[in-house]
Every structure is written in structure tokens, then in C-alpha cells.
Amino acid sequence: MDFIKSQTVGAKFQPSLTSSSHSPYRFLSSTTVADSPSSTMAPPVTVNSINPKVIECEYAVRGEIVILPQKLQEEIKAKPAAHPFEEILYCNIGNPQSLGQQPITFFREVLALCDHPSLLDRSETHVLFSKDSIQRAWKILDQIPGRATGAYSHSQGVKGLRDAIAAGIEARDGFPADPNDIFLTDGASPAVHMMMQLLIRSENDGILCPIPQYPLYSASIALHGGTLVPYYLDEATGWDLEVSELKKQLEAAKSKGIDVRALVLAEENQMEIVKFCKEEGLVLLADEVYQENVYVPEKKFHSFKKVSRSMGYGEKDIHLVSFQSVSKGYYGECGKRGGYMEITGFGADVREHIYKLASVNLCSNISGQILASLVMSPPKVGDESFELYSAERDGILSSLARRAKTLEDAFNKLEGVTCNKAEGAMYLFPRINLPAKAIKAAGEARTAPDAFYCRRLLTETGIVFVPGSGFGQVPGTWHFRCTILPQEEKIPAVVTRLTDFHKLFMNEFRE
Amino acid sequence: MDFIKSQTVGAKFQPSLTSSSHSPYRFLSSTTVADSPSSTMAPPVTVNSINPKVIECEYAVRGEIVILPQKLQEEIKAKPAAHPFEEILYCNIGNPQSLGQQPITFFREVLALCDHPSLLDRSETHVLFSKDSIQRAWKILDQIPGRATGAYSHSQGVKGLRDAIAAGIEARDGFPADPNDIFLTDGASPAVHMMMQLLIRSENDGILCPIPQYPLYSASIALHGGTLVPYYLDEATGWDLEVSELKKQLEAAKSKGIDVRALVLAEENQMEIVKFCKEEGLVLLADEVYQENVYVPEKKFHSFKKVSRSMGYGEKDIHLVSFQSVSKGYYGECGKRGGYMEITGFGADVREHIYKLASVNLCSNISGQILASLVMSPPKVGDESFELYSAERDGILSSLARRAKTLEDAFNKLEGVTCNKAEGAMYLFPRINLPAKAIKAAGEARTAPDAFYCRRLLTETGIVFVPGSGFGQVPGTWHFRCTILPQEEKIPAVVTRLTDFHKLFMNEFRE
């Protein structure tokens, strides 16, 4: 980061050290060693002296669930027979390209050209790159002041890229979008943190979150010292949301003195929700990162902005924040850390403070910004890349749909397991009725029953699921989260290994 | 981000909406509009109801100082004669490539190849790219699991890239570096926020910061609800740091019940500082992002880790965090948002929590990670790119040195202005003794005297400086910050316009 004093880089340090020797010995010899480094006092920082909010914060999709599989994989690499399986099957994180999903060619062509613009002056480039990727790269470079992809941008992101995103939102919703409402972020997570930082003043501020929820929300609320006000999604109706449940939880929170500020959710009986948020004065935090992940023909994505506007609610009627990310969809570009939030309904003075929060990290990364503009304005009919682009996109989405169906069917065939239909996103969240003996064994092993099951599954089959307890579940019910992302040729292995393991597990703990 | 329920994407919304029409009218017609959107209640979020820490947070290098010049530029674009100057001369932000500095070719070649790896299979690529950039791209891709540059990495960053960085640190310092101590971050700013989040529990926790300071520190401390404990750098001795001043401010803070946790600084009489931090049990937060920006032959960068180890202090003796960024140095790749922090001396349990903080944002962007590894392991003698690389690097650094000297001399020629020698970094922080009449005029204009001067300078010459008040200064003294980054051909314009303006300004307010 900037640092404003002109530094004297160790000048006072040792005049005799201005030689550029790298040898520690010569270095030491020319150095008078300070008083013996006896560690008399306690270290300044211990777990007892760090921010307790950091301690409280939990993040179920990382940590042991990631570290243990890595350990196992290293053991297999070192000794192939170390475990009863030759490879780890990752079904735990929404990280498609880590499992072999290929990036969309057009997007990567444009990124490469923007990273190394001098390619655009070379004739060979026209052999290597599609015509429209070259045109798009020129267009983007012209939108970036000085064509400097290596410069900090406006804190909200490059204006021209926000224009492209706003145009994409308008085309999607049929309602206007203002580039000045768009904040480009390094993925959607920083956007969520920014909003939590803005809304949470103390533990008396509450955020309504669905259970099961994605742990980012609980983690962010904990880090910012707020209170997560849970509402349960109804598994019996395919994880539907009853507004009566929302009202119940809101009233319960209010009676405890909690000032509920916002509601987090993905699409669900949207008109009722919008009305509810307006009436209760809640900020609607719409997680819309799965807008492209729709696998059933009778379903279609409707943004909360489109729904609110179509209900006649304008800017002044509802505070609405929509999160989008390049990590999901058919693109799955998690490592690029691109995304945006569209903020509508906030006053100019509040907006200034949101802008300030964005500017404290200067700006999001430019490749991520470019990619966010590309996913919102992909190749169109007639563009040279369109055929390849749509083939790649449709190939990914139809394959995800097939994988979701296969896994869903496999889960529903397992004794004591029920799994809802996967209509979108990248995950299944099957429920498992564990035998009392298994729950007892888990207790003795000091783990939650679902964690106990997942750990056994991992160590015996190499399949990585995330225990439902990390996402929240109705007390007394147990689940695990399984992504639909292993490549299609791996799915049969997941199914057979899981099925065999489950039979043995259930028999082992049968009463 | 992930969201674990399988979404029914608006299914409950309107069965008749499963057509993929984008027309708001058809959409509206098939929609029963909810109760009239009368805004009866106050909006849920106003400046009075957002997190007061966000309000307190100030960030002097962004905001009006960025917005007003943009406005002027647009006015000039619309009407060339709108102002007494044809172009804005930005001397306000450390953003080299926005001012025409060209990126290092080798770095961009590698980034482009990693962004679009299928280029590596094409023969034309060997015409377009240097041999070693191709080799390096292969090496990096092999270090990334599945060669997936579009996948989330380990939360600390790709292991192989951290290996390269650790090796670079070892070569630099002559002391070992552990890849597991490296946390790759989106620039250095998120790393600073992470440490503040870890260390600050309440307003009773203090962080010792130099004055003048970079506003990121004050902003981050404010956002996390801590107390900035200032210590003044001595302008008379070229911004030196007296440990007696540190002790004085530390004692003063303690007497006010402040628990001082850490000391922020760049290199300065380093051995004394290390000893002081060990004795007082302070975490040493070493801002080492300018390690490559050294313009005087008799000076050489020494990392605080090198210094501590050379003093005989080991892991257990001192908590040390070193921040590095791809935004500074000769590379100036601000838009790539790459950087890392090296964390030594913390217990494993505390480290777990730092890891968790890193994982809440999943990982930093992969291009930034790759770039961080490249700046710590640039081309070596014998590599095809070495000649071009070192020519580009030396060209940039020697030009920065010339610009620094020219501006420094120009400032020292101005009536009532004194400027220290620029030996490193990218900035000058000249002091200006303003006439009483100017200070009075500033008061009437309700601005700080230095802000008054900078605003007049901007509107009359198009030169953008940042008022010293944004960085802190000894009460009663006034400064402004000027970067040395305008391209060399622009420097004469900066000097003449500034000199002419200053004469008129001083005459206008002469007693």
C-alpha cells in the first residue's frame, strides 16, 4: 500500500551493510547482536488476547473438511496402498474447475489479450484468437483509462465495465440498471462483508438468514459482531420458505430486543418476500449468484429487482442488494475472484459510506472486473465465438443437470436417506436418518452425528461431503452437503462407493 | 458464493412466467401488482442507523481528491477551454500504470499464458512469447492442482507459488522462510485489515502508527473499532523515528488505559525498533511494500525479519508480520491486486484463526498470486527475458529517481516550502509555511489550510496533490503529498505550473 514518508530503508541500520551480500554470516559478523533473546515475557498475542469475534466465527466449508482430504491425498501419493481408495472424490466445495471443468474459451481469450495487450499488435494473434475476442479486448481496453489493466480503477470498478454489466442486467430484467449502483468486488464474499460491516452496529443488530444457510453469512455476521436470526426452510416442500415462518422468527427476535436490519435469501415466493421486507423495513440481500444454474425447463430466474419493479416498487420503496459472482454459473471462474453487487434504494449519503468502504481496499482486481463484465455480456448470435461459446455453456449446464439427477436418485435409493430435487445451484442437501447406535458412537467420538458419518465416508471411500451441521438444520435432523461438480465420468464411482459404504455403515449401527 | 439449498428460481412466483420474455409489460400484465407502493415508513437504512465505525472511518487518498479531478477532466473533455489548463496532472495516488508506466513484459507474458493455457500448445505462441515466459507458465501451471487457474486455491494461496515467494525471501534476507508463513492477499490492504481484525477487540486496544501515516491504517483501525496511537516522525531529520518518541507515546497511551497491541512502520533504525517491540510485547507490522523502491546507492533494503534474525531473535522472540504488494516496486501492478504477508512468531492456535480469516474470503485472485510469485522470483541472468526485464526495471527505477530529485529541488525553490530528500517509496511530503492570511481564508472557506492550498492548485493548474491533513502532521504544520509518478515528460509541466501558481498564491495572501 502507499506509505507517505520517503523511506531511508535501513540507512541507520549498519553503514557497513550497504554491500548487497545475502550471506547471513557476513551479515551477522558485521552486526552487533542485541541483548540475548531470552523470551522472558509471554508472547503478545495468544488465542486469549485476539478479537473474540474472530474466535466465534466459524466457516464450515473450509478447515478440517479441506485439510484432512489433502492429507489423505498426500498419503496416497506417497503410498498408493495407504488407503482403500486410489483417489479423493471432492464433493465438498463449489469449485468446478478444480474438478476438471474447462473455462469458457472466449472469456479466457479476452483475459489473455487484456493481460498482454501488445499481443493485439501482432499478426500471429489473429491465428491464435477469435475475431470477436480481439474486438472485445480492444473495446475493454478502450474503456480502461490509458488502457492500463495494471492500474487501480475507480473504487466501484472501471466505469465502462459497469456500463456493460448494467446493460446485461437491463437485458435480463427488462428494467433499467444504473452503472453507479454497481460495485465490482473480488467475488461476492467481500460484497457480503461490506454490507454486514455497514449494517451491524452491535450484537443487538440481527440479520435474518435461511437455515440451512451458507456459512459465509454466519461467519460474516459473527466477525462483525451481529446476531444471526435464523428462519427454517421447509424440507418437506423442497426447501420452500413460508413467510409465516419469517414473521414468527422476526417477532421472536424483536421480543429479545434484536433490531433486525436485513433478510438474506435466494429466490423463493419472491413477491411475498419483497412485500414483507418493505413492510418490515428490512434490507433485502439477494444472493443471486446462481442465476445461470437452472436445470429444470419449467423454472426461470427472476431477479428480486425485476420482481420488485414489476410489483410497482421503485427505488424509494425498498433497499435491495443483489450479489453476483463469476465463481458460479456455467463459468465457475472461482479463482478469478470477480463479482459485483447492485445496490438500489439507499440514500446518497449512505451510498457515500458504501463507496468509502469499497475504496478502503482501493478496487477489486481488474481481471475479475473484466470477467464480471463478460459473463453479463457474453458472445451474441453472429459473433464468431457464439457457436463455441454456447456449445461450451450448454455442455456444462446439461452435464450438471445430469449429474444432479444421478446423484439425487442415488441418494434416494439409500436406506434412511431422502433428497430433494436439484433444480438449481450446485448442491444437494440430502437428509439422513441415522441409527441411534451411530448417534451414540458419534457422541463417544465427540463429533456431531453427521460429521461422524462424513468423516467415516471420507476415510473409507475418499468421498468428501460437508456435514449439514455446518449449514444449520432443524434440531434432531441430520444432513450432508454434496456438490454436483465431480466430472461426469467420476459420478458412477461416487455412487457405487457411497452406496457400498452406506450399506456397511447402516448394518454396522443397526439396532 | 455457495448457497446450499437447491433453488426453485421463482417457481412459486408465477407459473405463467416460465416464458423467457424480457418485456416488463408482458411481465407486468401477467402479474397481480401488490398493494400500492406508498412509502409510509422511513427507509430502513440512513446514515443515523449504519455502523458508526463506518462513519468514523476516513480515507484521505480517495473521495473528493479523486472525484473533483475526474469532474474537471470531464468538463475539459466537454469544453476544452472550461479551465485554465488542458489536462489534469495526477500526483495524488501511487498508481503508476494509470500515468503511463508500462508493465514488465515478462510478467504479462506469463499472466497471459496462465490465463489461456491452451496457447501453450500452439506453435505461434513460440513466436509471440519469450522462451522463459513459456517455461515459467508451464512451471506455474504444474504447481496449480489440475492446472486450474480458474479454481479457488488453498486459502493462503497456491502452495507452489508460496514456495517461490519463500525462496525469494530467503534469497533476499539470507534467512529461511516457510511457505506456510505466507498468506497471499488481494494487495496488501486486505492483509492489513486481517491483522487489525485479529488484534483489535475494542476501543481500548491501540495500534502505534507513524504520523504522517498512510490513511489505510487509520481507516482500518477505525473500521475495527480500535485506537490509533500516533507517534511523530521527525521532519527535521528527514522523517527519522526516535525510539524515545515511541516510548513517550506508548506510556501516554498506557496511562489512558489503552492496551497497545502492535507497531506499524516502514524501515527506520531497525535494530532499536525490533528490541523495543520485543521488550514491550508489540506485534511488529512491517510495511515493506517499497522494498524495491530505493533511489540512493548508499541505501539498501533490509527486511525486519532479516534484522531480527541477525540480532539473534528467533520465531519465539518476536511476532512479526511483513506486508508486500505487487502494486509498488518497479512493477506497479496495482490493478492486479496481488500481495502477501509473511507471519512469523505466532502460535499455531492463533495461526489457525488467521487462516480462518483468510478462508472466509476463500482465496485471493490467482493472477495476483502468480504475479506475487513473479516479483519475488523475476528472470535471472541467462534467461531469455533477463536483458529486457532488467532494462525495463532499471529504466523505471532510474526514471523515478530522476523525477524524485527534480520535484524535490522544485519544492525547495518555492517560497516557504521545504522538502526532504526522496530516498525511497513513491512520494514527497513537502512542508509549506502558509501566510496567516491564507490560513484565515481557509478558515472562512471551512477547509484546512493545506486542503485550501491543494484545492486552489487543482482548480487553477490541474495538478492534484493530497493535503497533508489526510496523513496527519504535527499540529500547526502544513504539508501536501506529491507522488513522483507522472511520466518524465510531464514533470516540467508540473514544476512550471506549480511554481507559477505558488508565486501568485503567496503574493495574494502576503501580509
Side-chain angles (χ1 to χ4, degrees):
Chain A
M1 70 230 73
D2 295 352
F3 193 80
I4 50 74
K5 63 187 290 294
S6 57
Q7 302 179 11
T8 54
V9 280
K12 315 277 160 311
F13 177 54
Q14 273 290 359
S16 59
L17 278 178
T18 53
S19 78
S20 67
S21 151
H22 276 320
S23 149
Y25 309 101
R26 176 129 46 99
F27 187 82
L28 273 166
S29 66
S30 65
T31 310
T32 52
V33 173
D35 62 344
S36 74
S38 55
S39 304
T40 43
M41 62 188 304
V45 180
T46 69
V47 276
N48 305 319
S49 69
I50 64 175
N51 180 355
K53 293 171 186 164
V54 171
I55 307 247
E56 283 151 30
C57 162
E58 285 178 2
Y59 201 56
V61 289
R62 290 243 155 174
E64 200 219 11
I65 202 70
V66 174
I67 292 159
L68 178 58
Q70 285 165 344
K71 186 174 151 294
L72 294 176
Q73 195 159 38
E74 282 157 23
E75 289 167 3
I76 291 167
K77 202 173 162 199
K79 186 158 154 292
H83 296 283
F85 43 86
E86 329 67 58
E87 66 167 338
I88 305 290
L89 293 169
Y90 291 95
C91 306
N92 53 317
I93 301 180
N95 193 9
Q97 294 190 27
S98 71
L99 300 175
Q101 179 175 307
Q102 290 308 302
I104 299 294
T105 305
F106 175 79
F107 294 166
R108 295 307 195 94
E109 286 181 310
V110 176
L111 286 183
L113 292 169
C114 292
D115 262 342
H116 192 34
S118 63
L119 288 174
L120 290 161
D121 309 325
R122 307 288 300 273
S123 57
E124 295 84 355
T125 300
H126 297 272
V127 186
L128 284 174
F129 292 82
S130 63
K131 204 184 276 83
D132 53 335
S133 70
I134 292 171
Q135 288 160 349
R136 185 68 71 97
W138 275 121
K139 186 178 170 212
I140 288 170
L141 288 169
D142 289 339
Q143 290 168 330
I144 299 175
R147 295 182 177 167
T149 53
Y152 293 127
S153 73
H154 184 289
S155 296
Q156 286 182 238
V158 173
K159 173 66 165 56
L161 300 177
R162 286 184 280 129
D163 293 338
I165 289 167
I169 294 171
E170 286 186 7
R172 181 195 70 196
D173 294 351
F175 289 94
D178 182 345
N180 297 320
D181 292 342
I182 311 288
F183 286 69
L184 285 150
T185 51
D186 292 310
S189 302
V192 170
H193 291 308
M194 226 186 287
M195 293 313 298
M196 295 304 172
Q197 188 155 45
L198 183 83
L199 294 172
I200 296 172
R201 295 159 297 187
S202 77
E203 66 281 6
N204 297 327
D205 283 329
I207 307 292
L208 270 164
C209 292
I211 298 298
Q213 56 108 31
Y214 178 56
L216 168 67
Y217 293 105
S218 47
S220 188
I221 292 166
L223 279 175
H224 293 98
T227 297
L228 186 151
V229 179
Y231 62 87
Y232 288 102
L233 301 169
D234 184 359
E235 183 163 15
T237 58
W239 301 117
D240 285 355
L241 166 54
E242 294 304 329
V243 172
S244 56
E245 163 71 5
L246 276 180
K247 287 211 167 78
K248 191 181 102 197
Q249 299 298 346
L250 177 66
E251 292 314 318
K254 282 180 174 172
S255 70
K256 296 195 190 93
I258 301 296
D259 180 354
V260 181
R261 310 293 317 268
L263 167 67
V264 172
L265 85 173
E267 313 83 44
E268 246 338 321
N269 37 343
Q270 295 176 284
M271 291 173 79
E272 282 178 83
I273 301 296
V274 168
K275 195 158 167 294
F276 174 77
C277 288
K278 179 185 180 335
E279 286 168 358
E280 301 292 346
L282 301 177
V283 176
L284 179 43
L285 300 175
D287 184 332
E288 303 187 319
V289 302
Y290 292 108
Q291 52 190 272
E292 306 270 9
N293 296 91
V294 185
Y295 308 126
V296 280
E298 69 275 17
K299 301 294 168 64
K300 180 178 173 315
F301 170 79
H302 301 291
S303 75
F304 271 99
K305 183 155 161 254
K306 173 180 181 176
V307 172
S308 321
R309 298 293 178 264
S310 68
M311 290 167 69
Y313 290 144
E315 273 283 334
K316 291 195 176 47
D317 297 305
I318 184 159
H319 286 5
L320 178 60
V321 182
S322 164
F323 301 109
Q324 164 68 316
S325 168
V326 303
S327 303
K328 307 306 171 199
Y330 56 87
Y331 19 89
E333 294 275 18
C334 306
K336 297 299 180 184
R337 312 308 296 122
Y340 70 81
M341 59 177 172
E342 183 186 18
I343 294 187
T344 55
F346 293 84
D349 45 5
V350 174
R351 278 284 301 279
E352 265 177 43
H353 290 288
I354 301 174
Y355 173 85
K356 183 177 63 185
L357 282 179
S359 64
V360 170
N361 277 333
L362 295 140
C363 65
S364 62
N365 83 86
I366 303 296
S367 302
Q369 290 189 32
I370 292 171
L371 202 45
S373 78
L374 294 176
V375 303
M376 297 306 286
S377 57
K380 293 178 184 45
V381 186
D383 295 343
E384 182 185 319
S385 294
F386 181 74
E387 209 171 308
L388 176 60
Y389 156 76
S390 35
E392 290 174 332
R393 180 198 59 201
D394 300 345
I396 289 165
L397 288 175
S398 53
S399 167
L400 285 172
R402 286 191 300 272
R403 290 178 245 173
K405 186 80 179 65
T406 310
L407 287 168
E408 173 201 323
D409 294 346
F411 283 127
N412 282 315
K413 285 206 192 81
L414 299 180
E415 177 189 358
V417 175
T418 52
C419 181
N420 278 318
K421 200 161 182 302
E423 295 166 325
M426 297 179 167
Y427 314 94
L428 292 164
F429 199 64
R431 175 174 177 173
I432 175 165
N433 295 311
L434 288 162
K437 268 175 79 177
I439 293 172
K440 189 161 167 296
E444 286 155 3
R446 289 196 158 53
T447 60
D450 51 3
F452 178 77
Y453 181 94
C454 290
R455 206 174 197 295
R456 286 281 300 268
L457 177 71
L458 170 59
T459 52
E460 291 174 31
T461 70
I463 298 171
V464 193
F465 289 170
V466 184
S469 37
F471 307 93
Q473 47 200 352
V474 173
T477 70
W478 306 108
H479 300 75
F480 41 83
R481 188 187 78 164
C482 169
T483 72
I484 59 174
L485 298 175
Q487 287 305 286
E488 221 159 344
E489 64 273 18
K490 304 270 187 199
I491 299 291
V494 175
V495 170
T496 31
R497 288 197 213 170
L498 170 66
T499 309
D500 299 347
F501 164 82
H502 188 76
K503 281 204 189 85
L504 293 169
F505 182 93
M506 294 304 271
N507 289 334
E508 177 180 348
F509 293 102
R510 202 176 301 283
E511 312 303 314
Chain B
M1 71 230 72
D2 297 350
F3 193 80
I4 51 76
K5 62 186 293 294
S6 57
Q7 303 180 9
T8 55
V9 279
K12 314 277 160 311
F13 177 54
Q14 272 291 358
S16 59
L17 278 178
T18 55
S19 80
S20 67
S21 151
H22 275 319
S23 149
Y25 309 102
R26 178 128 46 99
F27 187 83
L28 272 165
S29 66
S30 66
T31 311
T32 51
V33 172
D35 61 346
S36 74
S38 55
S39 303
T40 43
M41 63 188 301
V45 181
T46 69
V47 275
N48 305 321
S49 69
I50 64 175
N51 180 356
K53 292 171 187 164
V54 171
I55 306 243
E56 283 151 30
C57 162
E58 286 177 1
Y59 201 54
V61 288
R62 290 242 156 174
E64 199 217 14
I65 201 69
V66 175
I67 292 159
L68 178 58
Q70 285 165 344
K71 186 173 151 295
L72 295 177
Q73 196 157 35
E74 282 156 23
E75 288 168 4
I76 292 168
K77 203 173 161 198
K79 185 156 155 293
H83 296 282
F85 42 86
E86 326 71 56
E87 66 167 337
I88 305 290
L89 292 170
Y90 291 95
C91 306
N92 53 318
I93 301 180
N95 193 9
Q97 295 190 25
S98 71
L99 300 176
Q101 179 175 308
Q102 290 308 302
I104 299 292
T105 305
F106 175 79
F107 294 166
R108 294 308 194 95
E109 287 180 309
V110 176
L111 285 183
L113 292 168
C114 292
D115 262 342
H116 192 34
S118 63
L119 287 174
L120 290 161
D121 309 326
R122 306 289 298 274
S123 57
E124 295 84 355
T125 300
H126 297 272
V127 187
L128 284 174
F129 292 81
S130 63
K131 206 184 274 86
D132 52 336
S133 71
I134 292 171
Q135 288 159 350
R136 184 68 72 99
W138 275 120
K139 185 176 170 215
I140 286 169
L141 288 169
D142 289 339
Q143 289 169 331
I144 298 174
R147 294 181 177 168
T149 55
Y152 292 128
S153 72
H154 184 289
S155 297
Q156 284 181 242
V158 173
K159 174 67 166 54
L161 300 176
R162 286 183 282 130
D163 292 339
I165 289 167
I169 294 171
E170 287 187 6
R172 182 195 69 196
D173 293 352
F175 289 94
D178 181 347
N180 297 319
D181 292 343
I182 311 289
F183 285 71
L184 284 151
T185 51
D186 292 312
S189 301
V192 169
H193 291 308
M194 226 186 283
M195 293 312 299
M196 295 303 172
Q197 189 155 45
L198 183 82
L199 293 172
I200 295 172
R201 296 159 297 187
S202 77
E203 66 280 6
N204 296 327
D205 283 329
I207 308 290
L208 269 165
C209 292
I211 299 296
Q213 56 107 31
Y214 178 57
L216 167 67
Y217 293 106
S218 47
S220 187
I221 292 166
L223 280 176
H224 293 97
T227 298
L228 186 150
V229 179
Y231 62 87
Y232 288 103
L233 301 169
D234 183 0
E235 183 163 14
T237 59
W239 302 116
D240 285 355
L241 166 53
E242 293 304 328
V243 173
S244 56
E245 163 72 5
L246 275 181
K247 288 212 167 78
K248 191 182 102 195
Q249 300 298 347
L250 177 67
E251 291 315 319
K254 281 180 175 174
S255 69
K256 297 196 189 93
I258 300 296
D259 181 351
V260 180
R261 310 294 316 269
L263 168 66
V264 172
L265 86 172
E267 312 85 41
E268 245 339 320
N269 39 344
Q270 295 176 285
M271 291 172 77
E272 284 178 81
I273 301 297
V274 169
K275 197 158 167 293
F276 174 77
C277 289
K278 179 186 182 327
E279 287 169 358
E280 301 292 347
L282 301 178
V283 176
L284 179 42
L285 301 175
D287 184 333
E288 301 186 322
V289 302
Y290 292 109
Q291 52 190 270
E292 307 269 8
N293 297 89
V294 185
Y295 309 125
V296 281
E298 68 274 19
K299 302 295 168 64
K300 181 178 176 308
F301 171 78
H302 301 291
S303 75
F304 271 100
K305 185 159 162 244
K306 173 181 181 176
V307 172
S308 323
R309 299 292 178 265
S310 68
M311 290 168 68
Y313 290 146
E315 274 281 334
K316 291 194 176 47
D317 297 305
I318 184 160
H319 286 4
L320 177 60
V321 181
S322 164
F323 301 110
Q324 164 68 314
S325 167
V326 303
S327 304
K328 307 306 172 197
Y330 55 87
Y331 17 90
E333 293 275 19
C334 305
K336 298 298 179 182
R337 312 309 295 125
Y340 69 81
M341 59 177 172
E342 184 187 18
I343 294 187
T344 55
F346 293 84
D349 46 4
V350 174
R351 277 284 304 276
E352 265 176 45
H353 290 288
I354 301 174
Y355 173 85
K356 183 178 62 185
L357 282 179
S359 62
V360 170
N361 279 332
L362 295 141
C363 65
S364 61
N365 83 87
I366 302 295
S367 302
Q369 290 190 31
I370 291 170
L371 201 45
S373 79
L374 294 176
V375 304
M376 296 306 287
S377 56
K380 293 179 184 42
V381 187
D383 296 343
E384 182 184 319
S385 294
F386 181 75
E387 209 170 309
L388 176 61
Y389 156 75
S390 35
E392 290 174 331
R393 180 199 58 202
D394 300 344
I396 290 166
L397 289 174
S398 54
S399 167
L400 285 172
R402 285 192 300 271
R403 291 178 245 174
K405 186 79 179 64
T406 309
L407 288 167
E408 174 201 323
D409 294 343
F411 284 127
N412 282 316
K413 286 205 192 81
L414 299 180
E415 176 189 2
V417 174
T418 53
C419 182
N420 279 316
K421 200 162 184 301
E423 295 167 324
M426 297 178 167
Y427 315 94
L428 292 165
F429 199 64
R431 175 173 177 174
I432 176 165
N433 295 311
L434 288 161
K437 269 175 76 178
I439 294 172
K440 188 161 168 297
E444 286 154 4
R446 289 200 158 56
T447 60
D450 51 4
F452 178 76
Y453 181 94
C454 290
R455 205 173 198 297
R456 285 282 299 269
L457 178 72
L458 170 57
T459 51
E460 290 174 31
T461 70
I463 298 173
V464 194
F465 288 169
V466 184
S469 37
F471 307 94
Q473 48 200 353
V474 174
T477 71
W478 306 108
H479 300 75
F480 40 84
R481 189 187 77 163
C482 169
T483 73
I484 59 175
L485 297 175
Q487 288 303 286
E488 221 159 346
E489 65 273 17
K490 305 269 188 201
I491 298 292
V494 175
V495 171
T496 32
R497 289 197 213 170
L498 170 67
T499 309
D500 299 346
F501 164 82
H502 188 76
K503 282 203 190 83
L504 294 168
F505 183 93
M506 295 303 272
N507 290 333
E508 177 179 349
F509 294 102
R510 203 175 300 282
E511 311 304 314

